[in-house]
C-alpha cells in the first residue's frame, strides 16, 4: 500500500503537463490609396493566426478548459473567446460617414457608424447563447472602454443571411448569430489604447507606431475593427484593422493633395516589429502618370507599389513614403471656372440613400433610394434593423421607379415585428427583402412609420438630440460565386445612420406638479386650520 | 497501577500536545504586530497597502469642457504619482476630445496656451457617456454591481485601501447634478461611504469636490477616516479659471487649477503633507472659500502625506543585517542587493526612501534572534509530535 502510493507520487512528478504550444504567425500590412476627391485612405491590418486551434465546444463550458498558452495572440481576447465559446466575432467602432460614391468599397466591409458587434456561437444547454452574448458584450465593453453593455435585447437581432459565417462552421453544435449595433457610440483614444495593447509589438515597433491618436481622430472617417474567424485549415485568425480617410487638402497649408507618412501621421517608423513574419506598406497607385512616389525603388505589382518593412528586407528604416503631384498647384476637386461639369459616376455600382421625412412628431415616412450605376441588372438583399422606437407599417410599403409603382422588383419579403422581451422591452424589427434594380435607374422604397412615445424615464439625458437609427444594410445575394455579373467582390453596403426626433415630454412638469400641489395643499390646510383653531384674544401690554 | 498509568498516558499526551499548540499559537502573536509595524514604518501611520482613485465628471455637453478637463487633470496627476490604470475608475459623462466641436481632435487642454495635452495616447475611460449615472456611481462605490460588470469597472478595494474620490460638475446645496437629468445628494454619498465602511472597503478616503456650494456635499458624511475638501461654501459659486480662444469655452475651474498647480511640485517621493495643500488655498485667487472637513479623520493633517491619497507607491523595505545606518544615504539608488552576514536571511534589493532615519541595526538583530527562536520552537514541536506518534504506534 505504501509502495503503491510512493510509485504513484513519483509517476505524478514525472508526468509533464500536456499544454499545447501552437505555432503563431503575425503579419502586418498598411494599404494607402489616394482617392479621386483628394483624400487618402489608409488601412492597417494586423493579423495573428493561431495555427491548429479551434473554437471551444460550448457543451464543455461547465468543465475545465485546456490551458491556453499564447506568445503573440492576445491573452485578454483569447480568454474572452474561450470563456463564452465564441466561434466568430466581429466588432467595429467607426465614426463618420463612408462615402461609397467617391471612395469605393472599403477594404474592411464593416463601416456602419458607431459600434457594431456580431458573433456566431454554438448552442448549448450549459449556458444559453443569450447568456453568453450578454457576458461577451460586457467583457468587450470592459476591454475596449466602449459602452457595449447597452447592446441588450433592445438592439439585438439575428440576421443570418446578411451576416453569414465568414470562416468554417464547426460541427459540434448548430450555431446562432447575435448582432447588435449602437450608432451613437463615440470613438476616441480610450478605444485605441486597448486596441494597440492587443498587438504583439504594441505601439513601440512596426506599423503600429504610426497610429497617432491626434491625427487618426482628426481624419474625415476613421474606424477600427476586431475580427476573429476560425478557418479549419489554418486555425483561429485574429484580424485587427484600422481604416482612416485623411484629407490632406484640408490640413495642408497649400491645399495640396500630396501626402507623406510624416504629414499624415506625424510619426515615423523607427523599428520593424521583430516577431512579424511579414510587414509591408502597399501603395495603390492612382491612374494617370502625373504623380510621383518616393522612395523610388519599391516592388511593383499591377498597380501596387509594395515596400517590405520586415527586418529581412534591405529597406532602410526610418523612411518616409511620399506621393506628390509636382505639376499641380492646389487641388481642385471638380471645380471649373467656365463650364459646369457633369456629375462623376460613382465608383461603386450601387449608390444608396436613406431619409426619414415628415412634419409631425408622431408619424413619418422612411424612404430608401438605391441607384444602379452599372449597365446590368443587379439583385441585392436589403436588410433593415429598426429599433422598436420606429414602427414600420408594411401595408404602406411602396416600390417605385420615377413615381411608377413597380412591385415586381421586390421579392422574398420577410418582416419580423418587434417582439416583447423580458423587463418590458421590445426587440428591434427586422425587414428583409430582395430587390432587383434595372440598369441605370433609381429604385425608391418608402413606407410610413410611427414614432414611439416613450415613458419619461426612458429618455436619455440629452433627449432633445434625438435617437440614432442604425443604417440599412445591402448585401449581395450569392455569397459563394465570385464570378457573378459584377466584376468586383463586395460584402455589404451600409446606408448612413438617421437621427429621429421622438416626442419628448416637458421634463420639468413633475417638479412643477409637485410644487404646485404642495403649495395648494399648504394654503388650503393652513387656512382651514387657522380658521378652526386660531382664537383672537385681547392682551394687555405693560408699559 | 502501572497499567492504569499507561491507559491514562494517551490522554495525558493529548493534553500536553494541546497545551504546546496553544503556547505556540500564543507566542506567534507578535508576528501580526511585526507586520503592522513593517507597513507603518515609513508611511505616516495610515496602514494602507494600495491606492485607488475614483474620478467623476458628471456633466455633459461641450460647454462643460472644463469639468472634463478637471477630471482629466486629476487623472494625469494620480497616474503620474503612481496609481496604475487598473486602480483608477474614470467616469466622463461626455466625450470632448473626439467631439465634432473640438478643433484639436484627440486632445484636451486645461490652460489657455494649450501646452499640455491631458488626453494623451494612453488613457482608459471606464464609464463613459450614458453610463455615468447616480446608480452606477453608488453601485461602484458599494460594490453591489451586476455579475456581468467587467473587472475594469469595479472598485476592488479592501480594508487597507486608500481611496481618492473626486467629483466635479454642477451642484448646489447638498446636491450634485448628473448629466442634467438626475441628482445625487450629500445623504446618498454619506450612506454609500457608510456602506463601504461596514463592508470594510476602505482604509481612508479623501473626498474632493469642485462644484458650486461644494462644501455642503460633505456635510452629511458620518463614517470614520474620511477627509473631505470642497471648493466653495454654501451660497457661493465656484468659478472657472480661464478661457481658450481657439477651443472657445472655459478650460479649467479655478479651484482645480490651483490644486493641480500645487500638485505639479509633488513627485512620487514627496513628503509634503495634506496640511501643505490646504495651506495653499487662497480664497482671493480662487474667488471662493474652499473648505476642509477633518473631524472624521483620525490622523493629524500635517502628518498625512499627499502621496497617501494621490500616489500609488507602497514603500517596501527589507533589512539586510549589517550596519547600514551610516551608509543609508548611499543606498538610495543602489539596485544591487547588499551582502548580508547572516546566510539564512534572504537578500533582496533594498529600496530606501531618502528621509529614512531608522535604526536598522538594532531591529535587524532583533529580527534575527526572533527568527532563531521561531526555528527552535518549530523543530522542538515537530520532534515532540513525532515522538508521541511513534510511541503511540509502538504501543499499539
Amino acid at each position: 500500500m505504501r509502495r503503491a502510493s510512493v510509485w504513484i507520487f513519483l509517476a505524478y512528478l514525472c508526468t509533464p503537463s500536456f499544454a499545447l504550444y501552437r505555432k503563431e504567425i503575425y503579419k502586418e500590412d498598411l494599404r494607402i490609396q489616394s482617392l479621386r476627391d483628394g483624400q487618402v485612405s489608409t488601412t492597417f491590418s494586423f493579423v495573428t493566426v493561431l495555427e491548429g486551434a479551434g473554437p471551444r465546444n460550448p457543451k464543455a463550458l461547465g468543465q475545465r478548459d485546456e490551458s491556453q498558452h499564447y506568445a503573440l495572440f492576445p491573452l485578454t481576447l483569447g480568454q474572452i473567446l474561450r470563456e463564452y465559446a465564441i466561434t466568430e466575432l466581429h466588432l467595429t467602432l467607426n465614426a463618420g460617414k463612408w462615402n461609397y460614391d467617391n471612395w469605393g468599397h472599403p477594404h474592411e466591409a464593416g463601416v456602419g457608424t458607431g459600434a457594431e458587434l456580431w458573433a456566431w456561437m454554438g448552442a448549448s444547454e450549459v449556458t444559453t447563447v443569450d447568456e453568453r452574448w450578454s457576458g461577451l458584450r460586457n467583457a468587450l465593453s470592459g476591454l475596449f472602454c466602449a459602452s457595449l453593455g447597452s447592446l441588450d435585447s433592445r438592439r439585438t437581432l439575428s440576421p443570418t443571411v446578411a451576416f453569414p459565417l465568414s470562416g468554417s462552421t464547426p460541427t459540434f453544435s448548430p450555431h446562432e448569430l447575435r448582432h447588435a449595433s449602437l450608432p451613437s457610440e463615440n470613438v476616441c483614444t480610450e478605444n485605441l489604447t486597448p486596441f494597440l495593447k492587443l498587438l504583439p509589438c504594441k505601439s513601440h515597433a512596426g506599423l503600429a507606431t504610426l497610429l497617432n491618436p491626434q491625427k487618426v481622430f482628426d481624419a474625415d472617417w476613421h474606424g477600427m475593427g476586431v475580427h476573429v474567424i476560425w478557418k479549419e485549415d489554418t486555425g483561429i485568425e485574429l484580424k485587427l484593422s484600422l481604416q482612416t480617410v485623411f484629407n490632406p487638402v484640408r490640413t495642408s497649408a497649400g491645399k495640396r493633395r500630396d501626402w507623406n507618412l510624416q504629414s499624415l501621421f506625424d510619426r515615423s517608423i523607427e523599428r520593424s516589429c521583430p516577431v512579424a513574419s511579414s510587414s509591408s506598406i502597399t501603395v495603390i497607385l492612382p491612374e494617370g502618370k502625373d504623380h510621383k512616389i518616393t522612395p523610388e525603388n519599391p516592388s511593383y505589382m499591377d498597380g501596387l507599389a509594395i515596400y517590405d518593412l520586415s527586418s529581412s528586407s534591405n529597406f532602410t528604416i526610418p523612411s518616409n513614403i511620399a506621393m506628390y503631384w509636382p505639376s499641380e498647384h492646389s487641388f481642385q476637386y471638380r471645380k471649373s471656372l467656365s463650364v459646369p461639369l457633369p456629375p462623376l459616376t460613382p465608383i461603386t455600382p450601387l449608390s444608396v440613400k436613406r431619409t426619414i421625412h415628415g412634419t409631425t412628431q408622431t408619424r413619418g415616412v422612411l424612404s430608401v433610394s438605391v441607384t444602379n450605376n452599372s449597365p446590368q441588372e443587379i439583385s441585392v438583399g436589403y436588410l433593415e434593423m429598426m429599433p422598436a422606437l420606429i414602427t414600420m407599417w408594411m401595408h404602406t410599403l411602396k416600390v417605385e421607379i420615377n413615381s411608377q409603382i413597380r412591385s415586381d422588383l421586390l421579392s422574398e419579403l420577410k418582416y419580423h415585428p418587434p417582439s416583447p422581451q423580458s423587463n418590458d422591452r421590445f426587440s428591434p424589427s427586422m425587414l428583409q427583402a430582395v430587390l432587383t434594380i434595372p440598369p441605370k435607374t433609381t429604385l425608391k422604397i418608402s413606407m410610413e412609420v410611427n414614432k414611439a412615445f416613450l415613458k419619461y424615464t426612458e429618455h436619455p439625458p440629452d433627449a432633445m438630440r434625438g435617437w440614432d437609427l442604425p443604417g440599412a444594410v445591402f448585401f449581395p445575394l450569392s455569397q459563394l460565386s465570385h464570378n457573378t455579373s459584377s466584376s468586383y467582390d463586395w460584402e455589404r453596403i451600409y446606408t448612413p445612420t438617421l437621427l429621429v426626433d421622438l416626442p419628448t415630454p416637458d421634463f420639468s412638469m413633475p417638479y412643477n406638479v409637485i410644487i404646485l400641489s404642495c403649495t395648494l395643499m399648504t394654503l388650503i390646510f393652513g387656512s382651514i386650520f387657522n380658521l378652526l383653531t386660531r382664537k383672537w384674544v385681547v392682551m394687555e401690554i405693560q408699559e | 497501577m502501572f497499567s492504569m498509568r499507561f491507559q491514562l498516558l494517551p490522554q495525558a499526551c493529548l493534553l500536553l500536545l494541546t497545551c504546546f499548540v496553544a503556547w505556540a499559537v500564543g507566542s506567534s502573536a507578535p508576528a501580526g504586530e511585526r507586520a503592522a509595524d513593517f507597513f507603518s514604518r515609513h508611511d505616516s501611520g495610515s496602514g494602507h497597502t494600495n491606492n485607488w482613485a475614483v474620478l467623476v465628471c458628471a456633466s455633459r455637453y461641450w460647454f462643460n469642457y472644463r469639468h472634463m478637463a478637471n477630471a482629466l487633470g486629476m487623472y494625469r496627476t494620480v497616474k503620474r504619482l503612481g496609481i496604475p490604470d487598473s486602480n483608477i475608475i474614470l467616469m466622463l459623462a461626455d466625450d470632448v476630445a473626439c467631439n465634432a466641436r473640438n478643433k484639436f481632435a484627440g486632445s484636451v487642454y486645461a490652460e489657455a496656451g494649450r501646452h499640455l495635452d491631458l488626453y494623451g495616447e494612453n488613457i482608459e475611460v471606464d464609464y463613459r457617456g450614458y453610463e455615468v449615472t447616480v446608480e452606477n456611481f453608488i453601485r461602484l462605490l458599494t460594490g453591489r454591481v451586476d455579475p456581468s460588470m467587467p473587472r475594469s469597472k469595479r472598485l476592488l478595494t479592501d480594508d487597507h485601501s486608500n481611496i481618492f474620490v473626486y467629483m466635479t460638475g454642477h451642484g448646489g446645496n447638498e446636491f450634485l447634478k448628473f448629466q442634467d437629468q438626475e441628482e445625487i445628494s450629500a445623504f446618498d454619498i454619506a450612506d454609500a461611504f457608510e456602506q463601504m465602511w461596514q463592508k470594510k472597503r476602505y482604509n481612508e478616503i479623501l473626498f474632493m469636490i469642485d462644484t458650486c456650494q461644494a462644501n455642503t456635499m460633505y456635510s452629511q458624511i458620518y463614517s470614520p477616516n474620511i477627509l473631505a475638501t470642497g471648493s466653495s461654501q454654501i451660497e457661493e459659486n465656484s468659478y472657472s479659471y480661464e478661457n481658450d480662444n481657439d477651443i472657445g469655452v472655459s478650460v479649467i475651474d479655478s479651484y482645480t487649477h490651483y490644486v493641480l498647480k500645487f500638485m505639479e511640485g509633488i513627485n512620487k517621493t514627496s513628503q509634503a503633507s495634506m496640511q501643505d495643500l490646504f495651506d495653499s488655498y487662497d480664497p482671493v485667487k480662487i474667488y471662493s472659500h474652499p473648505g476642509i472637513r477633518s473631524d472624521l479623520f483620525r490622523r493629524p493633517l500635517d502628518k498625512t502625506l499627499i502621496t497617501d491619497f494621490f500616489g500609488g507607491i507602497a514603500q517596501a523595505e527589507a533589512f539586510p543585517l549589517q550596519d547600514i545606518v551610516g551608509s543609508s544615504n548611499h543606498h538610495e539608488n543602489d539596485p544591487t542587493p547588499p551582502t548580508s552576514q547572516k546566510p539564512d536571511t534572504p537578500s533582496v534589493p533594498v529600496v530606501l526612501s531618502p528621509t529614512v532615519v531608522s535604526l536598522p541595526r538594532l531591529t535587524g538583530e532583533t529580527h534575527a534572534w526572533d527568527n532563531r527562536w521561531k526555528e527552535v520552537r518549530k523543530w522542538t514541536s515537530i520532534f515532540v509530535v513525532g515522538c508521541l506518534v511513534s510511541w503511540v504506534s509502538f504501543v499499539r
Side-chain angles (χ1 to χ4, degrees), chain A residues 11 37 70 136 153 173 200 252 297 312 422 453 458 462 532 539:
Chain A
D37 57 352
Y70 306 126
L136 173 70
S153 51
S173 58
S252 68
N297 55 346
S312 52
S422 60
F453 185 74
E458 288 176 0
D462 51 351
L532 291 175
M539 268 185 63

Side-chain angles (χ1 to χ4, degrees), chain B residues 109-154:
Chain B
Y109 299 102
E111 18 80 49
R114 296 189 308 277
H115 301 298
L116 181 61
D117 176 21
L118 295 177
Y119 222 65
E121 293 156 31
N122 198 342
I123 180 168
E124 287 181 14
V125 180
D126 300 295
Y127 287 82
R128 64 203 292 239
Y130 297 141
E131 293 176 331
V132 179
T133 59
V134 174
E135 182 185 345
N136 280 351
F137 177 64
I138 295 185
R139 282 187 184 279
L140 168 81
L141 285 182
T142 54
R144 292 158 67 172
V145 291
D146 201 74
S148 61
M149 191 66 86
R151 234 186 124 84
S152 60
K153 284 168 141 177
R154 291 180 189 229

Side-chain angles (χ1 to χ4, degrees), chain A residues 134 138-139 141-142 145-149 185-191 193 197 213-214 217-218 267 459-462, chain B residues 60-61 85 94-95 97-98 103 105-107 117 119-125 128 130-131 148 150 152-153 179 181:
Chain A
S134 160
N138 286 297
S141 94
C145 296
S147 45
L148 302 175
E185 180 73 2
N186 278 322
V187 185
C188 206
T189 315
E190 63 261 22
N191 306 114
T193 306
K197 288 184 182 165
Q214 270 94 11
F217 295 114
D218 194 27
R267 297 268 182 89
H459 284 277
D462 51 351
Chain B
R60 162 175 282 273
Y61 304 122
D85 263 323
D94 201 358
D95 176 32
C98 297
K103 191 171 161 192
S107 310
D117 176 21
Y119 222 65
E121 293 156 31
N122 198 342
I123 180 168
E124 287 181 14
V125 180
R128 64 203 292 239
Y130 297 141
E131 293 176 331
S148 61
S152 60
K153 284 168 141 177
Q179 298 212 44
Q181 193 189 34

Side-chain angles (χ1 to χ4, degrees), chain A residues 16-25 48-51 53 64-76 78-79 82:
Chain A
S17 65
F18 282 114
L20 292 156
Y21 290 94
R22 296 206 166 89
K23 183 158 173 283
E24 297 173 54
I25 304 173
T48 311
V49 178
L50 198 58
E51 284 198 341
R64 211 184 138 119
D65 191 18
E66 58 186 28
S67 4
Q68 303 294 310
H69 296 273
Y70 306 126
L72 304 177
F73 198 88
L75 181 63
T76 44
Q79 277 178 333
R82 300 296 296 185

Side-chain angles (χ1 to χ4, degrees), chain A residues 265-457:
Chain A
F265 299 104
D266 205 21
R267 297 268 182 89
S268 60
I269 304 176
E270 302 289 326
R271 298 194 310 237
S272 65
C273 185
V275 294
S277 66
S278 87
S279 172
S280 60
I281 298 184
T282 308
V283 181
I284 300 173
L285 299 169
E287 282 148 34
K289 293 282 170 217
D290 49 348
H291 63 273
K292 281 214 183 349
I293 183 166
T294 61
E296 297 280 333
N297 55 346
S299 49
Y300 286 96
M301 193 178 82
D302 61 19
L304 306 172
I306 301 178
Y307 295 88
D308 187 8
L309 258 66
S310 51
S311 22
S312 52
S313 82
N314 48 4
F315 192 68
T316 51
I317 282 177
S319 68
N320 196 11
I321 298 173
M323 182 178 283
Y324 56 99
W325 283 258
S327 47
E328 246 181 31
H329 288 291
S330 66
F331 177 71
Q332 308 267 13
Y333 181 49
R334 318 264 314 134
K335 271 209 203 115
S336 155
L337 295 169
S338 48
V339 217
L341 296 165
L344 273 179
T345 52
I347 298 181
T348 53
L350 280 179
S351 304
V352 297
K353 278 207 234 335
R354 188 177 77 150
T355 48
I356 275 196
H357 50 264
T359 49
T360 66
Q361 272 191 324
T362 47
R363 270 189 243 115
V365 173
L366 177 70
S367 149
V368 182
S369 75
V370 191
T371 308
N372 185 355
N373 304 308
S374 73
Q376 292 118 0
E377 191 182 72
I378 295 184
S379 283
V380 286
Y382 163 57
L383 171 69
E384 191 78 70
M385 292 178 286
M386 197 59 81
L389 313 161
I390 299 287
T391 314
M392 300 186 286
W393 297 112
M394 287 293 112
H395 71 282
T396 57
L397 183 62
K398 275 192 302 194
V399 180
E400 295 173 312
I401 293 184
N402 295 334
S403 313
Q404 190 199 9
I405 307 255
R406 295 286 307 270
S407 311
D408 54 314
L409 298 176
L410 178 86
S411 56
E412 291 184 41
L413 176 64
K414 272 195 218 139
Y415 174 64
H416 296 263
S419 61
Q421 309 283 315
S422 60
N423 61 16
D424 226 6
R425 302 209 159 135
F426 283 87
S427 72
S429 56
M430 182 160 81
L431 166 66
Q432 213 171 286
V434 171
L435 298 173
T436 313
I437 310 150
K440 302 281 186 201
T441 44
T442 300
L443 187 76
K444 198 173 116 162
I445 309 159
S446 61
M447 63 192 110
E448 283 179 31
V449 296
N450 260 26
K451 301 181 199 175
F453 185 74
L454 301 173
K455 300 192 192 95
Y456 96 101
T457 46

Side-chain angles (χ1 to χ4, degrees), chain A residues 92-94 106 108-112 116 221 224 227 243 492 494:
Chain A
T92 52
L93 290 163
N94 305 324
E108 297 293 329
V111 292
E116 190 185 21
W221 189 95
M224 55 184 86
H227 306 276
Q243 302 186 88
R492 283 184 294 281
Y494 290 82

Side-chain angles (χ1 to χ4, degrees), chain B residues 51-99:
Chain B
N51 282 81
W52 283 75
V54 178
L55 310 169
V56 180
C57 161
S59 330
R60 162 175 282 273
Y61 304 122
W62 175 248
F63 51 82
N64 291 321
Y65 183 104
R66 62 188 187 279
H67 296 144
M68 249 67 73
N70 288 350
L72 287 167
M74 286 297 172
Y75 173 75
R76 287 292 163 203
T77 301
V78 297
K79 217 165 151 182
R80 175 175 64 87
L81 293 175
I83 302 185
D85 263 323
S86 54
N87 285 19
I88 302 178
I89 306 277
L90 178 61
M91 302 173 77
L92 295 181
D94 201 358
D95 176 32
V96 284
C98 297
N99 197 316

Side-chain angles (χ1 to χ4, degrees), chain A residues 27-43:
Chain A
K27 290 187 241 192
E28 50 180 32
D29 179 54
L30 166 61
R31 295 182 97 91
I32 309 183
Q33 182 177 11
S34 265
L35 302 165
R36 69 181 187 186
D37 57 352
Q39 304 195 333
V40 177
S41 116
T42 64
T43 307

